[in-house]
């Protein structure tokens, strides 16, 4: 992109700094400040069906033999089309995940001043703070986060990465590498399912695609059902790989106009299709709205790794997919797409609605 390191993430725009939620929550407040009260979502119902769960994709099956490969590939295709979400098991990343979980927990346990060493700088999206706050009266999420951009390496800005714990940096580096690898593996399988040349999809993400890692910290809230940990949104990137750090549930996805709570399998990675992959697939795959709720007594932590195409990639349906069908989305430059995302409130699927033809 031809600019110096510090400018790369700052050129995208930032967020208004707001109070640290972890320290707010530790004050044992009698009343939750009004900016966190989300009455607008109170009427939304949970989808209370124990039998309904997102598909589980077993990566081991792809290495067993042709018939297992074929049936798991079909399962993956349906997961991407009908759910936009699945849990991935036997992914071979357990070691990296355990290390990443440990350093994330240690980071959020540090005293506030030490965490603030990695505080978001003005006009930047990287660092410790909150995201998508653009006005002083906007409702706020009951969470803090640490967002870092490990890839592409030319954009990596380790100055803002936590120095404590000392193992943070190597753990994130290994984690980043492993999640990138897994995302490419999945994209290759998805390309096969979409019947496009694998390289036509994979080359957009590898080797120079972007990767953001967002570590979410949701403090407990005495009025847990009146606040939201994360506003309903779809991920405005290609592919998200999310892990639960502790055993507190909170992720819910939009299903049949209700909210379906996700029950994470221990060690699994929750994968979801982002807006950009919905566009690349010309709508064959869906980027599903989701949100996070908080617990009334326990803190919850999660880590999302977001994978994006190279910055010079146009966001448009893959040419192979619009030979026989008309494009369902407008073409937009990636940089303009990012500006649109960062200038918006985190708000349902508004960006996709704007791009739909
Ligand atoms: C996200 C996200 C859900 C969770 O970070 O984009 O959707 O469970 N997180 O924390
Ligand atoms: Ni998300």
């Amino acid at each position: 992109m031809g600019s110096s390191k510090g400018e790369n993430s700052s050129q995208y725009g930032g967020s208004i700094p707001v109070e640290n939620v972890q320290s707010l929550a530790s004050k044992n407040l009698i009343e939750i400040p009004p900016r966190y009260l989300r009455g607008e979502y109170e009427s939304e119902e949970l989808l209370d069906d124990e039998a309904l769960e997102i598909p589980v994709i077993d990566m081991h099956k792809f290495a067993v033999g042709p018939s297992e490969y074929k049936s798991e590939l079909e399962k993956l295709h349906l997961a991407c089309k009908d759910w936009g979400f699945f849990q991935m098991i036997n992914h071979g990343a357990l070691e990296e995940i355990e290390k990443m979980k440990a350093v994330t927990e240690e980071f959020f346990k540090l005293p506030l001043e030490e965490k603030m060493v990695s505080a978001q700088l003005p006009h930047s999206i990287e660092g410790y703070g909150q995201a998508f706050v653009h006005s002083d009266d906007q409702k706020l999420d009951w969470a803090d986060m640490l967002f870092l951009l490990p890839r592409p390496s030319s954009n990596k800005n380790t100055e803002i990465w936590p120095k404590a714990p000392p193992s943070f940096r190597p753990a994130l580096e290994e984690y980043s590498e492993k999640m990138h690898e897994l995302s490419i593996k999945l994209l290759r399988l998805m390309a096969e399912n979409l019947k496009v040349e694998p390289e036509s999809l994979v080359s957009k993400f590898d080797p120079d695609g972007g990767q953001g890692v967002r570590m979410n910290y949701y403090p407990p809230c005495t009025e847990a059902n009146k606040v939201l940990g994360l506003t309903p949104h779809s991920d405005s990137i290609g592919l998200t790989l999310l892990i639960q750090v502790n055993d507190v549930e909170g992720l819910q996805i939009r299903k049949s106009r209700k909210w379906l709570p996700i029950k994470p399998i221990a060690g699994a990675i929750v994968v979801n299709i982002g807006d950009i992959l919905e566009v690349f697939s010309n709508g064959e795959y869906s980027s599903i709205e989701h949100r996070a709720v908080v617990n009334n007594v326990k803190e919850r932590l999660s880590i999302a790794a977001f994978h994006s195409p190279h910055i010079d990639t146009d966001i448009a349906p893959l040419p192979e997919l619009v030979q026989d069908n008309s494009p369902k989305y407008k073409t937009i430059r990636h940089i303009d797409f990012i500006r649109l995302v960062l200038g918006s409130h985190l708000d349902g699927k508004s960006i996709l609605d704007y791009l739909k033809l």
Side-chain angles (χ1 to χ4, degrees):
M1 280 195 291
S3 53
S4 74
K5 281 187 182 179
E7 284 164 7
N8 277 332
S9 60
S10 61
Q11 72 189 355
Y12 301 146
S15 185
I16 300 174
V18 287
E19 197 167 351
N20 182 272
V21 185
Q22 189 174 359
S23 59
L24 184 69
S26 71
K27 288 179 192 157
N28 293 319
L29 300 170
I30 302 191
E31 273 183 28
I32 305 302
R35 282 188 80 186
Y36 297 93
L37 299 176
R38 310 299 287 270
E40 73 268 35
Y41 295 110
E42 241 163 81
S43 61
E44 298 199 350
E45 278 175 69
L46 284 191
L47 185 53
D48 208 2
D49 181 349
E50 284 294 316
L52 204 55
E53 285 189 32
I54 56 172
V56 176
I57 301 298
D58 183 348
M59 296 304 275
H60 176 62
K61 297 264 170 72
F62 292 106
V64 180
S67 75
E68 287 84 355
Y69 185 101
K70 190 163 170 274
S71 71
E72 208 62 12
L73 195 67
E74 276 166 22
K75 210 167 148 191
L76 175 67
H77 194 42
L78 293 179
C80 298
K81 276 164 68 97
D82 300 343
W83 286 89
F85 263 89
F86 57 89
Q87 302 204 50
M88 172 167 60
I89 59 168
N90 291 323
H91 41 62
L94 285 181
E95 210 175 299
E96 291 81 359
I97 289 177
E98 283 315 308
K99 286 190 198 158
M100 191 61 213
K101 282 185 184 180
V103 296
T104 301
E105 285 191 303
E106 282 180 60
F107 173 79
F108 285 106
K109 277 194 192 127
L110 294 174
L112 182 60
E113 315 81 75
E114 280 182 58
K115 289 193 287 263
M116 290 304 280
V117 171
S118 295
Q120 229 172 37
L121 298 174
H123 312 297
S124 168
I125 56 170
E126 274 195 285
Y128 178 57
Q130 284 80 19
F132 299 105
V133 184
H134 299 303
S135 72
D136 292 326
D137 55 2
Q138 188 185 323
K139 290 285 181 180
L140 299 175
D141 289 341
W142 192 260
D144 303 315
M145 55 120 208
L146 171 63
F147 184 64
L148 300 170
L149 293 162
R151 296 179 72 98
S153 57
S154 55
N155 263 24
K156 194 160 99 179
N157 178 16
T158 46
E159 269 150 58
I160 200 165
W161 289 27
K163 310 264 179 309
S167 49
F168 187 96
R169 182 170 169 171
L172 178 54
E173 267 161 357
E174 284 166 33
Y175 187 73
S176 152
E177 188 56 35
K178 199 72 190 184
M179 292 304 118
H180 173 75
E181 253 172 49
L182 280 172
S183 70
I184 298 305
K185 212 178 250 185
L186 287 170
L187 288 165
R188 208 171 280 286
L189 295 166
M190 289 174 193
E192 199 175 333
N193 273 328
L194 291 167
K195 303 194 167 38
V196 301
E197 241 349 282
E199 277 315 302
S200 87
L201 183 61
V202 168
S203 64
K204 295 183 189 296
F205 293 84
D206 192 49
D208 288 332
Q211 182 192 55
V213 175
R214 177 175 161 137
M215 288 142 267
N216 297 301
Y217 182 91
Y218 305 100
C221 181
T222 47
E223 304 249 34
N225 52 0
K226 297 203 170 135
V227 303
L228 270 185
L230 190 52
T231 301
H233 65 283
S234 61
D235 292 345
S236 19
I237 43 77
L239 193 64
T240 306
L241 272 57
L242 176 108
I243 58 164
Q244 305 282 314
V245 174
N246 56 358
D247 57 8
V248 183
E249 290 177 14
L251 174 62
Q252 302 183 336
I253 70 168
R254 184 75 90 183
K255 187 83 182 160
S256 313
R257 293 165 183 259
K258 297 185 181 171
W259 291 108
L260 176 70
I262 300 302
K263 297 181 216 71
I265 301 169
I269 299 177
V270 175
V271 180
N272 66 286
I273 304 288
D275 296 351
I276 292 180
L277 212 48
E278 176 173 324
V279 174
F280 283 166
S281 74
N282 199 29
E284 191 152 7
Y285 290 171
S286 314
S287 171
I288 298 298
E289 215 183 323
H290 52 284
R291 68 179 191 177
V293 297
V294 306
N295 190 278
N296 58 346
V297 283
K298 291 190 227 163
E299 61 185 8
R300 172 170 185 264
L301 290 89
S302 68
I303 305 172
F306 304 112
H307 300 90
S308 311
H310 186 271
I311 193 67
D312 295 331
T313 311
D314 278 348
I315 307 305
L318 294 175
E320 295 102 310
L321 298 180
V322 290
Q323 273 161 6
D324 303 324
N325 301 296
S326 43
K328 296 196 175 118
Y329 305 84
K330 292 176 201 149
T331 296
I332 179 171
R333 291 193 317 155
H334 192 188
I335 187 73
D336 294 332
F337 178 85
I338 293 174
R339 290 205 177 104
L340 209 61
V341 169
L342 295 176
S344 73
H345 294 268
L346 193 62
D347 171 16
K349 295 190 56 160
S350 55
I351 308 257
L352 275 179
D353 289 341
Y354 165 80
L355 289 178
K356 268 190 190 137
L357 287 169

